[in-house]
Amino acid sequence: MLASILIAFVSAVFINNFVVVKFLGICPFLGVSKNIRTAAGMGVAVIFVMTFASSATWAVQEFLLKPLGLDYLQTIAFILVIAALVQLVEMVLQKTSEPLYKALGVYLPLITTNCAVLGVCILNLEIQGNARFLMSTLNGAFSGVGFTLAIVLFAGIRERLETADVPKCLEGFPISLIAASLVSLAFFGFKGLFQGLI
């Protein structure tokens, strides 16, 4: 069991990272990664939402949609669960950390439509075995950690690029896209490194 949890962690964080390998959740990745503190705040919010959305959507699928034969409503039901969790995160952040709430701005409600969160919930349904609920929840948490790692690394690079001597034609967003592609290439390198584990 511990080995399968370790493999799930390595897979979700490094090998199948939702942002830089599967290219899901690019909007907040590019929008909130201008400084490390904001990126880390967004990452923590995404970890929370992905973890609890994975648990809740698994329960909705197993105990509501499947028994009633409503599998075709899966996407709508999952989006509603994710939206409720994002509202909860938004209220908590507004009460506990007003500066972070303001820094995240429009990107916090956009977690509702973040395809990485919906993607992890849908992909969790493919998990087989006796510990499906546990592995779905852990996969959600690990995928959130992968999202956070990618966005914080990218935010660090973007902060360094602010003071770098960049050619005039590449200043701003173009150099950010080049940096994002290089981060993506770095994560693709893990695919071969852990080939024996997966």
Side-chain angles (χ1 to χ4, degrees), residues 77-104:
F78 287 8
I79 289 173
L80 288 173
V81 168
I82 293 165
L85 286 167
V86 169
Q87 286 301 312
L88 178 66
V89 169
E90 197 169 357
M91 288 187 297
V92 168
L93 277 180
Q94 194 171 14
K95 295 288 183 199
T96 60
S97 180
E98 188 73 27
L100 180 59
Y101 174 76
K102 286 180 179 172
L104 292 174

Side-chain angles (χ1 to χ4, degrees), residues 27-110:
C27 178
F29 177 71
L30 293 173
V32 186
S33 59
K34 290 183 181 168
N35 71 58
I36 292 175
R37 188 169 181 272
T38 308
M42 174 60 109
V44 169
V46 168
I47 290 171
F48 176 84
V49 172
M50 276 190 175
T51 303
F52 287 100
S54 294
S55 305
T57 54
W58 182 89
V60 165
Q61 178 71 21
E62 291 298 313
F63 301 118
L64 186 66
L65 299 179
K66 266 188 183 176
L68 297 175
L70 299 173
D71 289 342
Y72 60 92
L73 292 176
Q74 181 187 79
T75 304
I76 294 169
F78 287 8
I79 289 173
L80 288 173
V81 168
I82 293 165
L85 286 167
V86 169
Q87 286 301 312
L88 178 66
V89 169
E90 197 169 357
M91 288 187 297
V92 168
L93 277 180
Q94 194 171 14
K95 295 288 183 199
T96 60
S97 180
E98 188 73 27
L100 180 59
Y101 174 76
K102 286 180 179 172
L104 292 174
V106 72
Y107 294 101
L108 188 58
L110 280 178

Side-chain angles (χ1 to χ4, degrees), residues 10-197:
V10 170
S11 176
V13 175
F14 299 107
I15 298 170
N16 293 313
N17 188 293
F18 271 90
V19 181
V20 292
V21 175
K22 294 190 177 199
F23 305 113
L24 297 174
I26 297 294
C27 178
F29 177 71
L30 293 173
V32 186
S33 59
K34 290 183 181 168
N35 71 58
I36 292 175
R37 188 169 181 272
T38 308
M42 174 60 109
V44 169
V46 168
I47 290 171
F48 176 84
V49 172
M50 276 190 175
T51 303
F52 287 100
S54 294
S55 305
T57 54
W58 182 89
V60 165
Q61 178 71 21
E62 291 298 313
F63 301 118
L64 186 66
L65 299 179
K66 266 188 183 176
L68 297 175
L70 299 173
D71 289 342
Y72 60 92
L73 292 176
Q74 181 187 79
T75 304
I76 294 169
F78 287 8
I79 289 173
L80 288 173
V81 168
I82 293 165
L85 286 167
V86 169
Q87 286 301 312
L88 178 66
V89 169
E90 197 169 357
M91 288 187 297
V92 168
L93 277 180
Q94 194 171 14
K95 295 288 183 199
T96 60
S97 180
E98 188 73 27
L100 180 59
Y101 174 76
K102 286 180 179 172
L104 292 174
V106 72
Y107 294 101
L108 188 58
L110 280 178
I111 296 175
T112 303
T113 56
N114 186 341
C115 52
V117 179
L118 181 61
V120 77
C121 293
I122 291 173
L123 290 175
N124 279 339
L125 300 178
E126 296 175 9
I127 293 174
Q128 302 297 320
N130 295 331
R132 284 182 58 211
F133 174 75
L134 175 65
M135 290 309 291
S136 293
T137 304
L138 288 175
N139 188 47
F142 297 157
S143 297
V145 170
F147 179 92
T148 304
L149 176 66
I151 199 169
V152 168
L153 283 173
F154 187 55
I157 293 169
R158 285 184 79 175
E159 281 187 358
R160 295 288 301 267
L161 286 173
E162 292 295 320
T163 58
D165 187 23
V166 178
K168 192 78 173 158
C169 62
L170 294 177
E171 283 180 359
F173 204 60
I175 195 68
S176 295
L177 290 176
I178 292 169
S181 66
L182 293 174
V183 169
S184 179
L185 279 173
F187 273 81
F188 271 108
F190 287 111
K191 207 170 199 82
L193 182 64
F194 296 109
Q195 197 74 34
L197 290 176

